[in-house]
Amino acid sequence: NAGVTQTPKFRVLKTGQSMTLLCAQDMNHEYMYWYRQDPGMGLRLIHYSVGEGTTAKGEVPDGYNVSRLKKQNFLLGLESAAPSQTSVYFCASSESPLTWGEQFFGPGTRLTVL
Amino acid sequence: AQKVTQAQTEISVVEKEDVTLDCVYETRDTTYYLFWYKQPPSGELVFLIRRNSFDEQNEISGRYSWNFQKSTSSFNFTITASQVVDSAVYFCALSEANAGGTSYGKLTFGQGTILTVHP
């Protein structure tokens, strides 16, 4: 099993450009999450999904959109990138919070917005 | 709102020293889960431990041990006889479980503690 994979690993954007980050998991997990990691701030939740076709806002959702069209994929979109969105983005999945299993994290995507 | 504070931004020790990483949390729920994750220089997040709010037993796993004290809202992590490979950023995290089950496992992370173990 590959676990949680993220595409791409690195990306440089210019202000105003758009892009989509792809997260894929092969563990048949219901729940998926997008976090961003900034120095000195830990990880903060952007959006999450509790199943195929569902999405919800996390702590810092502004400037991002997400979609969960397939259970195994969770996409994070930036419609008009800003320098403040320079960060490392992590995707995670979990079987079900009801069983309080661990969240499995992807390797991260390092995004720089110039 | 829930909050996790890791007051130690950076810790530097020499190999074989014991080191304790502090974690203090705030939550209004009676049911919650606490986690520790390790982020080595390679960048991935490695799960270390999960503890629920009803289990205050301390846990030991090899050189790692965790001390959970509800009275002080703390969940501290100790590495005994530290090694260079322990150098990493360590995150404490909290997930609430309210009666409606609507927390959906969302994690609130502390700011992280950078641990450097020198040979």
Side-chain angles (χ1 to χ4, degrees):
Chain A
N1 287 349
V4 180
T5 57
Q6 292 182 231
T7 308
K9 288 185 169 54
F10 302 94
R11 186 71 186 269
V12 178
L13 290 178
K14 294 181 179 178
T15 297
Q17 287 185 319
S18 63
M19 78 161 294
T20 300
L21 281 65
L22 170 63
C23 175
Q25 52 94 4
D26 60 3
M27 296 172 281
N28 202 36
H29 285 171
E30 287 291 337
Y31 292 73
M32 297 186 75
Y33 313 83
W34 275 107
Y35 295 88
R36 61 177 287 173
Q37 181 181 13
D38 302 295
M41 300 186 74
L43 281 76
R44 292 178 294 168
L45 183 65
I46 305 172
H47 286 280
Y48 63 100
S49 168
V50 301
E52 182 178 317
T54 74
T55 63
K57 293 180 180 180
E59 181 186 354
V60 289
D62 293 343
Y64 305 95
N65 56 75
V66 288
S67 64
R68 183 100 180 267
L69 299 179
K70 293 182 179 180
K71 185 177 183 179
Q72 63 268 33
N73 296 336
F74 194 29
L75 279 63
L76 178 71
L78 286 74
E79 290 187 349
S80 179
S84 60
Q85 294 177 304
T86 293
S87 188
V88 180
Y89 292 86
F90 285 96
C91 176
S93 70
S94 68
E95 185 175 9
S96 167
L98 294 180
T99 61
W100 299 101
E102 64 180 278
Q103 286 191 15
F104 293 82
F105 283 83
T109 294
R110 186 173 295 275
L111 174 66
T112 301
V113 183
L114 302 174
Chain B
Q2 53 190 15
K3 183 179 178 182
V4 177
T5 301
Q6 294 178 254
Q8 303 151 308
T9 305
E10 291 191 52
I11 299 176
S12 182
V13 299
V14 177
E15 213 170 16
K16 296 185 183 178
E17 282 186 29
D18 298 347
V19 57
T20 296
L21 309 181
D22 297 334
C23 173
V24 174
Y25 62 91
E26 295 175 27
T27 178
R28 280 181 272 189
D29 276 358
T30 56
T31 303
Y32 51 89
Y33 282 72
L34 295 162
F35 301 79
W36 276 94
Y37 282 86
K38 174 182 180 180
Q39 186 176 43
S42 51
E44 75 274 21
L45 283 153
V46 179
F47 168 81
L48 295 177
I49 190 172
R50 176 185 68 246
R51 172 69 70 212
N52 74 56
S53 55
F54 297 109
D55 182 3
E56 287 194 72
Q57 250 187 336
N58 292 334
E59 182 155 342
I60 299 174
S61 176
R63 296 183 297 108
Y64 295 170
S65 63
W66 290 268
N67 181 262
F68 176 31
Q69 293 196 339
K70 287 180 76 171
S71 60
T72 56
S73 297
S74 65
F75 187 42
N76 297 337
F77 174 31
T78 297
I79 302 175
T80 303
S82 60
Q83 300 176 0
V84 173
V85 293
D86 296 326
S87 297
V89 182
Y90 290 87
F91 291 100
C92 180
L94 167 70
S95 184
E96 292 176 335
N98 58 37
T102 56
S103 67
Y104 299 120
K106 296 175 290 181
L107 290 174
T108 297
F109 283 83
Q111 304 92 317
T113 296
I114 301 170
L115 174 64
T116 303
V117 182
H118 299 280

